[in-house]
Amino acid sequence: MHFTKPTAASALNLDKLAYGGLCLLVVALSAGGDGSTLGGLVFANWIAMIPVCFVALRILLTKKVRPACPIHFIMLAFSALVALSLIWTIDPDYTAVRLQTYAEMLVFVGLIWELATTQTRIRNLLVSYVLGSGIASLITIYNYLMGRSTAQFVGAAFDSNRYSVEGVNADEIGLIIALGIPIALYLVTAQKKQWLTALCWIQILAGFTAILLTATRGAMFALAIGVVMMARPALSRMSGVQRVTGALACLALVLCTLYVIPQTSIDRFLSSGTELTEGTLTHRTVIWAAGLQVFREHTFLGIGAGAYGASVVKIIDIPYIAHNTFLSVLVELGVVGASLLALLLASMVYSAFKFPYLEKRIWLALLGTWVVGASSVTWENRKTTWLLFGLITAQAYVRQTREVQLRHHESTPPLRDAEGWELAPEPLSLVPTSNL
């Protein structure tokens, strides 16, 4: 389909506006905007309306959408199973809410797919994530300085020495920030912009400090995985000045730990070994044992999406969520749901191994960070999870498109102008599209 110049220009402008809205949405999500509400609607959902509206207008104008890839069909199958679980769920209300959430996640992944069409755009979304997680880190540090603990936000006696962003659980904000630090290390080595390098180092320093203030052991373990996987490529590509800056940052972290972080937070981290071998991981092992008992009675299809709390309340008297993404999916959607999640993760890992070296390291590092962190929180229905999944899928497609187009350029004789000068090849196209 051919477009007139005004139509093409309008479509391009709508695309730019939608992409700007998507970047703003990523900033809001990584800053904890998925936990606060405005006018009865989650703050991040208000922002999501910006890219949704502009993409919808662009599609109406061009009558074209980007073809889905196989990974998307796995996501769709998982969401379809959530919808089908309405038939056998033990908690229809919660399952209906969870179905709405997954519908939003599919729209979110669709936005990423439509808009994150080049390597530059994907990197800019990663920059947006670092910016947002930096804001979350600074807010957490500010709340600590002001003496505003997580307990004060929820009006409870527990978590009186843990700090977070208002409206967001300390465990979850810890994992959000933990995902931002490997991204910052990647950006430090992948580009040369001084302002962005400075932003990344600020986030690395503030992020470590904020995670210590959240006293989130799962986030710290997850962060260790991400940093270890990114350490080698980061150090090998850093200049001497960057290495010195990194060493100073590490020294500042040590001093911060010794003189700033509350002793209760340090004690919580130091008790990790004892909790793993002798404790209950803040009652998690009790919750997990109850979930496994339910799973043995509903092995194949589970008890319905979002119904974990309702299923264990008869065993432990409190409707706790699973505090483990994989167990949550196993209990709620059975072996079928767990298999689809495993297939989805395996597909992304397989795709990541085909990326160029630096991209392969960062996406495997982020997947490793997510897997470890998600083992202590219920994150299968969180936008941050689906942001990660959507970006990996988009990265895989950018790689494939670039390889095909490079092969095309190599096999095509160079174009020359009237005077015999060789013309530069056409830039790699943004997206192949299909008619609606």
Side-chain angles (χ1 to χ4, degrees):
M1 180 183 293
H2 298 284
F3 302 109
T4 62
K5 287 186 177 180
T7 300
S10 298
L12 182 60
N13 289 331
L14 289 171
D15 184 79
K16 290 179 179 179
L17 290 171
Y19 178 69
L22 180 61
C23 290
L24 185 60
L25 174 58
V26 173
V27 172
L29 288 175
S30 55
D34 205 22
S36 56
T37 59
L38 178 65
L41 186 66
V42 175
F43 179 68
N45 288 352
W46 283 109
I47 298 178
M49 292 182 182
I50 299 173
V52 167
C53 290
F54 284 124
V55 166
L57 288 173
R58 192 198 70 181
I59 292 174
L60 288 173
L61 183 65
T62 63
K63 301 294 190 297
K64 291 188 175 183
V65 294
R66 191 178 184 185
C69 75
I71 297 179
H72 290 135
F73 289 107
I74 302 175
M75 297 178 183
L76 184 62
F78 186 85
S79 302
L81 181 61
V82 170
L84 288 173
S85 71
L86 279 168
I87 299 172
W88 61 80
T89 180
I90 65 171
D91 194 337
D93 292 337
Y94 271 92
T95 301
V97 171
R98 188 62 61 87
L99 177 58
Q100 179 182 347
T101 300
Y102 279 110
E104 294 173 0
M105 298 304 104
L106 290 176
V107 171
F108 186 32
V109 170
L111 287 175
I112 297 170
W113 182 245
E114 283 286 338
L115 299 171
T117 53
T118 66
Q119 186 64 51
T120 299
R121 284 195 166 192
I122 292 174
R123 283 187 180 175
N124 286 340
L125 288 174
L126 294 178
V127 172
S128 300
Y129 191 97
V130 169
L131 177 59
S133 61
I135 293 172
S137 300
L138 294 176
I139 292 175
T140 301
I141 295 171
Y142 175 79
N143 285 335
Y144 164 70
L145 295 175
M146 295 294 102
R148 302 173 63 194
S149 67
T150 303
Q152 291 177 280
F153 295 146
V154 298
F158 57 87
D159 286 347
S160 59
N161 294 303
R162 302 179 69 188
Y163 300 88
S164 179
V165 175
E166 186 172 0
V168 186
N169 179 277
D171 293 331
E172 296 201 15
I173 203 66
L175 183 51
I176 289 173
I177 295 171
L179 287 166
I181 293 177
I183 296 175
L185 288 171
Y186 163 75
L187 293 173
V188 164
T189 59
Q191 53 77 48
K192 303 298 182 182
K193 298 177 182 177
Q194 292 184 351
W195 70 267
L196 182 52
T197 299
L199 172 65
C200 290
W201 280 114
I202 290 172
Q203 165 51 8
I204 291 169
L205 179 60
F208 270 112
T209 305
I211 291 174
L212 290 172
L213 290 172
T214 65
T216 304
R217 290 170 294 208
M220 186 60 74
F221 293 146
L223 175 61
I225 296 296
V227 170
V228 167
M229 294 183 70
M230 281 304 298
R232 181 178 178 182
L235 290 173
S236 65
R237 301 191 181 204
M238 283 183 184
S239 65
V241 173
Q242 288 175 328
R243 292 181 183 181
V244 171
T245 302
L248 292 175
C250 291
L251 178 61
L253 282 172
V254 173
L255 295 176
C256 176
T257 302
L258 293 175
Y259 297 105
V260 178
I261 304 302
Q263 185 61 42
T264 52
S265 297
I266 297 175
D267 292 341
R268 181 178 170 86
F269 286 113
L270 293 177
S271 68
S272 299
T274 303
E275 280 289 319
L276 285 170
T277 57
E278 303 175 12
T280 63
L281 295 175
T282 318
H283 307 298
R284 280 178 171 80
T285 56
V286 176
I287 300 170
W288 296 342
L292 288 173
Q293 182 177 332
V294 173
F295 168 69
R296 284 190 287 269
E297 299 172 359
H298 304 81
T299 305
F300 190 64
L301 294 174
I303 42 83
Y308 191 98
S311 70
V312 300
V313 69
K314 296 179 180 179
I315 303 172
I316 56 178
D317 296 327
I318 300 176
Y320 283 120
I321 59 174
H323 292 284
N324 183 300
T325 297
F326 307 103
L327 181 62
S328 177
V329 172
L330 184 66
V331 174
E332 294 181 0
L333 297 175
V335 172
V336 177
S339 298
L340 286 172
L341 178 60
L343 179 61
L344 177 59
L345 292 172
S347 299
M348 291 185 291
V349 170
Y350 175 78
S351 297
F353 269 106
K354 294 187 175 183
F355 295 167
Y357 176 73
L358 195 56
E359 281 67 36
K360 176 174 67 176
R361 297 293 294 222
I362 181 56
W363 292 116
L364 289 177
L366 289 176
L367 280 173
T369 302
W370 181 87
V371 166
V372 174
S375 298
S376 60
V377 294
T378 302
W379 253 35
E380 71 272 20
N381 62 325
R382 291 291 186 265
K383 288 187 179 69
T384 306
T385 291
W386 290 76
L387 169 64
L388 174 62
F389 293 174
L391 285 175
I392 293 176
T393 306
Q395 178 72 65
Y397 187 82
V398 166
R399 178 192 61 79
Q400 292 173 359
T401 302
R402 186 170 184 83
E403 287 179 355
V404 170
Q405 293 184 343
L406 284 175
R407 286 197 297 269
H408 173 72
H409 286 312
E410 290 172 357
S411 62
T412 303
L415 299 177
R416 299 181 183 275
D417 63 16
E419 298 180 359
W421 291 99
E422 183 175 326
L423 298 175
E426 290 292 327
L428 300 181
S429 62
L430 291 181
V431 290
T433 56
S434 66
N435 292 332
L436 283 175

